[in-house]
């Protein structure tokens, strides 16, 4: 008898006209940035999200670096961010010589809470970077109020949160700036890819220059200046046509992709909810009034040993599950370039106990049922048994 195929944690498959558009891009003889598909992608993002300006970048990491450049972060400035986060929000800060100040996450959203942020503000604080974890939002209105009152920039790392919303407003449109990722593990993909969303009108002109290697080439191409020259700091961050062509095909299928992912998520939730207690697991959390995009489905176990047992049990049953971030405040570079503020109780606990299940567009309903069955076959730890 053949053992069933392992269900991988992630899988990359085209969802629409990816091949056709990449072929078209090749035949248009323009493969660098500023091409037709890149413009169509930027227009799509601007219309869909209602952001003032979207600039496609090579990665979300580049968009975060551009954001930190655009707000003029300087050595000694501080930026408050969660310790439970992807590393490149911190590297973007540290590359400017500024200090990432890590704070604990809130148990209700697994990301920043305005009260925790308020306690970490000093007279050196210049900005707050919030990560919308798992595609669910933070208390973004509270963070926005706080930042407005204290004169701080709010940057949303919305890498995981395209098509998520809070009180009906799309995440990624509430901060001064926001970043998206189209990495192959995200909801819509380009292999590697990202975008910077500029919601603050006053930053648009400067960022257009910074994104064009610090030159006014964009204005030159529009016939607004006679030649283009070096004007400001900047870098080469704009996405080329081949990934943009792939990405545009994904954008065209976005509603289908988003709808299907939500259905997968719902099936995990209804499948696991009846057994969660017995297995000692808790299901994804989110704050009221937030609507997620089913970016990932996680469970929280009792402790690290319980999590590791579940991981290897699932592997034995042909399911590749994975844990997530190692807290930044306790990482070698986090200690060198950043500092922690306050206790990290929730961060440390979630880092030890969170486990992510496979969730991607080519996952079938049968696959989800198999994963749920595999969890059902997991033995409850003796010490937790009734
Ligand atoms: C994926 C991710 C990133 C990095 O995205 P890249 O496009 O790979 O640079 C940054 N932040 C968060 C929260 C992410 O999930």
């Amino acid at each position: 008898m053949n053992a069933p195929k392992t269900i991988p944690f992630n899988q990359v498959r085209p969802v629409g006209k990816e091949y056709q558009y990449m072929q078209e891009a090749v035949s248009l003889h323009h493969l660098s940035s500023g091409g037709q598909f890149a413009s169509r992608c930027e227009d799509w993002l601007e219309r869909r999200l209602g952001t003032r300006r979207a600039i496609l970048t090579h990665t979300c990491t580049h968009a975060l670096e551009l954001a930190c450049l655009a707000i003029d972060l300087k050595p000694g400035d501080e930026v408050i961010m969660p310790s439970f986060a992807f590393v490149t929000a911190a590297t973007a800060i540290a590359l400017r010589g500024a200090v990432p100040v890590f704070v604990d996450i809130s148990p209700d959203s697994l990301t920043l809470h305005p009260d925790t942020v308020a306690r970490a503000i000093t007279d050196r604080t210049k900005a707050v970077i919030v990560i919308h974890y798992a595609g669910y939002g933070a208390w973004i209105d509270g963070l926005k109020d706080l930042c407005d009152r204290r004169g701080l920039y709010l940057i949303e790392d919305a890498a995981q949160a395209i098509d998520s919303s809070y009180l009906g407003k799309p995440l990624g449109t509430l901060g001064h700036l926001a970043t998206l990722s189209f990495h192959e593990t995200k909801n819509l993909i380009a292999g590697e890819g990202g975008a910077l969303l500029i919601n603050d009108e006053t930053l648009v002109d400067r960022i257009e220059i910074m994104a064009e290697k610090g030159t006014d080439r964009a204005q030159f191409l529009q016939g607004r200046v006679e030649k283009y020259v070096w004007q400001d700091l900047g870098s080469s961050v704009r996405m080329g046509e081949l990934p943009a062509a792939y990405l545009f095909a994904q954008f065209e299928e976005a509603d289908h992709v988003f709808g299907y992912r939500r259905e997968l998520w719902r099936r995990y939730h209804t499948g696991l909810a009846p057994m969660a207690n017995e297995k000692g697991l808790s299901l994804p959390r989110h704050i009221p009034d937030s609507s997620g995009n089913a970016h990932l489905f996680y469970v929280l176990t009792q402790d690290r040993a319980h999590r590791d047992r579940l991981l290897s049990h699932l592997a034995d049953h042909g399911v590749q599950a994975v844990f997530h971030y190692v807290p930044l405040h306790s990482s070698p570079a986090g200690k060198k370039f950043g500092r922690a503020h306050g206790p990290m109780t929730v961060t440390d606990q979630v880092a030890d106990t969170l486990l992510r299940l496979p969730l991607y567009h080519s996952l079938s309903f049968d696959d989800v049922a198999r994963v749920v069955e595999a969890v059902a076959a997991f033995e409850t730890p003796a010490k937790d048994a009734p």
Side-chain angles (χ1 to χ4, degrees), residues 58-62 64 85-89 131-132 157-160 179-183 185-186 192-194 295 324-325:
H58 301 310
T59 61
C60 177
T61 299
H62 278 99
L64 286 162
F86 192 65
V87 62
T88 57
I131 280 87
H132 297 302
D157 179 352
Q160 303 177 9
T179 62
L180 299 175
S181 175
F182 306 114
H183 183 264
T185 51
K186 301 303 199 286
E192 298 280 0
H295 171 59
H324 214 174
Y325 307 129

Side-chain angles (χ1 to χ4, degrees), residues 9 33 56 132 181 208 214 280 287 301 330 371 385:
F9 177 68
S33 66
L56 285 191
H132 297 302
S181 175
E208 294 273 13
I287 60 173
T301 61
S330 53
V371 177

